[in-house]
């Protein structure tokens, strides 16, 4: 008999033999168990059960102890899966000494509780990002991620796809700005691509603020990066407002792990144009010649020292 088949049958038969001694065991997906559980660890739990029965332990004590052993095994398997994903994602390794022990302990707890593969990949991205740049993900952000289900993760991914920002064609990382405005009827965003209920759920989790926009004063430089291409605003006069949803501090941390999704929504460029045309503004691709001309103008203004002003950042404001 094929050795791999023997292991699969062994895991399945041993789980069956544990029967009702481990509450919830029969609810575990058999395919998942056969892929991830080591037969020796499962047999160890069964052997422990048999020894406790021979020694006369009460059924409740055996059940509690075997359940504890099994939960520990599941957490170990989940952690190992997340770390394996992270090793494949990382360019710098996972042993950065600047990542604190308390952070790693908290991370291991959360990662051990996650069974969904998409969310395991998200946890792997968090670990990779923290090892590359310690301090990228706070305890609060990890707590929010632990409360998310697969549907929440998909909703957050869609918000990222309908956001401008990320690395542009010149290797410059542009700020991430959600371009979500309510459609007619106030039940969907982006032409029906995102439901209001999805965004409301993300707001409840603490990832976005609804009814807010990014406000750019007249002197602020605004560049929108869409699918890797940066655009400047042509015909702009005075301050502008963009969007109707903004990332919170924790949403901004979490969107870093979705860097490959930022600005990838089909139709985002048309959405941006429709938002800006209401303010009399057009999108114009930012070319090298335009960048050089802008730097030249900045240099001339600096030499003139006309007003000594500093660059002005965007502000988040509530939509009235």
């Amino acid at each position: 008999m094929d050795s791999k088949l023997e292991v699969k049958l062994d895991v399945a038969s041993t789980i069956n033999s544990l029967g009702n001694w481990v509450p919830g065991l029969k609810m575990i997906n058999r395919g998942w168990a056969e892929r991830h559980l080591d037969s020796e660890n499962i047999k160890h739990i069964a052997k422990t059960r048999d020894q406790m029965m021979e020694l006369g332990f009460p059924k409740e004590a055996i059940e509690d102890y075997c359940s504890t052993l099994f939960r520990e095994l599941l957490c170990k398997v989940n952690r190992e899966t997340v770390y394996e994903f992270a090793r494949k994602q990382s360019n710098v390794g996972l042993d950065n000494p600047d990542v604190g022990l308390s952070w790693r302990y908290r991370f291991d707890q959360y990662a051990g509780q996650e069974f969904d593969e998409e969310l395991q990949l998200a946890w792997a991205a968090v670990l990779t990002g923290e090892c590359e740049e310690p301090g990228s993900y706070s305890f609060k952000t990890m707590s929010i991620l632990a409360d998310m289900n697969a549907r929440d993760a998909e909703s957050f991914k869609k918000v990222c796809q309908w956001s401008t920002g990320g690395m542009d064609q010149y290797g410059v990382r542009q700020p991430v700005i959600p371009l979500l405005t309510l459609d007619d009827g106030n039940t969907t965003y982006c032409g029906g691509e995102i439901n209001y209920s999805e965004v409301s759920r993300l707001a409840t989790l603490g990832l976005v603020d609804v009814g807010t926009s990014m406000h750019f004063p007249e002197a602020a430089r605004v560049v929108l990066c869409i699918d890797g291409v940066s655009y400047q605003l042509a015909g702009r006069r005075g301050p502008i407002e963009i969007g109707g949803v903004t990332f919170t501090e924790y949403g901004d941390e979490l969107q870093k792990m979705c860097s490959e999704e930022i600005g990838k929504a089909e139709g985002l460029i048309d959405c941006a144009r429709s938002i800006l045309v209401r303010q009399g503004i057009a999108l114009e691709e930012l070319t090298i010649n335009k960048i050089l001309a802008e730097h030249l103008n900045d240099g001339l203004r600096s030499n003139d020292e006309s007003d000594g002003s500093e660059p002005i950042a965007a502000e988040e404001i509530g939509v009235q």
Side-chain angles (χ1 to χ4, degrees), residues 212-233:
T212 58
S213 62
M214 295 303 297
H215 175 78
F216 294 88
E218 183 174 1
R221 181 173 182 268
V222 184
V223 175
L224 302 182
C225 179
I226 300 175
D227 198 13
V229 179
S230 280
Y231 298 85
Q232 63 183 4
L233 309 188

Side-chain angles (χ1 to χ4, degrees), residues 224-265:
L224 302 182
C225 179
I226 300 175
D227 198 13
V229 179
S230 280
Y231 298 85
Q232 63 183 4
L233 309 188
R236 177 186 171 193
R237 298 288 185 276
I240 63 168
E241 293 179 16
I242 299 177
V245 174
T246 56
F247 286 120
T248 64
E249 172 188 353
Y250 312 112
D252 199 48
E253 287 185 9
L254 212 54
Q255 60 84 9
K256 296 174 187 174
M257 72 178 190
C258 297
S259 59
E260 297 299 318
E261 301 294 337
I262 299 295
K264 299 298 185 181

Side-chain angles (χ1 to χ4, degrees), residues 56-270:
F57 280 87
K59 182 178 186 297
E60 292 76 12
I62 301 174
E63 184 178 283
D64 288 344
Y65 189 64
C66 287
S67 295
T68 298
L69 291 178
F70 193 72
R71 284 194 297 271
E72 290 176 352
L73 173 59
L74 294 181
C75 288
K76 176 176 178 290
V77 169
N78 288 335
R79 280 195 302 272
E80 289 175 348
T81 301
V82 170
Y83 272 81
E84 183 61 29
F85 284 148
R87 278 189 284 271
K88 292 177 181 178
Q89 294 176 7
S90 178
N91 296 318
V92 300
L94 306 177
D95 300 321
N96 190 334
D98 293 330
V99 178
L101 290 177
S102 58
W103 191 95
R104 287 188 181 274
Y105 175 76
R106 191 78 61 93
F107 175 87
D108 285 349
Q109 282 187 311
Y110 288 135
Q113 297 168 5
E114 187 53 68
F115 287 84
D116 184 86
E117 185 170 304
E118 287 300 315
L119 286 168
Q120 287 176 336
L121 286 167
W123 281 110
V126 167
L127 177 59
T128 301
E130 185 70 15
C131 289
E132 291 177 352
E133 188 177 343
S136 294
Y137 297 97
S138 64
F139 288 163
K140 176 64 175 177
T141 298
M142 287 199 290
S143 174
I144 292 173
L145 181 56
D147 288 337
M148 294 173 67
N149 56 39
R151 183 176 297 178
D152 297 330
E154 182 62 26
S155 297
F156 189 76
K157 176 181 173 180
K158 286 195 286 186
V159 172
C160 292
Q161 290 172 336
W162 284 92
S163 300
T164 70
M167 198 74 73
D168 70 9
Q169 68 269 47
Y170 305 115
V172 177
R173 187 166 295 282
Q174 303 294 349
V176 177
I177 305 172
L179 290 190
L180 274 67
T181 56
L182 279 169
D183 302 323
D184 294 339
N186 296 331
T187 59
T188 59
Y189 294 89
C190 309
E193 294 295 328
I194 304 176
N195 291 324
Y196 180 84
S197 59
E198 294 180 81
V199 177
S200 179
R201 165 64 179 167
L202 296 178
T204 300
L205 287 167
L207 293 172
V208 300
D209 286 324
V210 180
T212 58
S213 62
M214 295 303 297
H215 175 78
F216 294 88
E218 183 174 1
R221 181 173 182 268
V222 184
V223 175
L224 302 182
C225 179
I226 300 175
D227 198 13
V229 179
S230 280
Y231 298 85
Q232 63 183 4
L233 309 188
R236 177 186 171 193
R237 298 288 185 276
I240 63 168
E241 293 179 16
I242 299 177
V245 174
T246 56
F247 286 120
T248 64
E249 172 188 353
Y250 312 112
D252 199 48
E253 287 185 9
L254 212 54
Q255 60 84 9
K256 296 174 187 174
M257 72 178 190
C258 297
S259 59
E260 297 299 318
E261 301 294 337
I262 299 295
K264 299 298 185 181
E266 184 177 349
L268 181 59
I269 184 72
D270 294 329

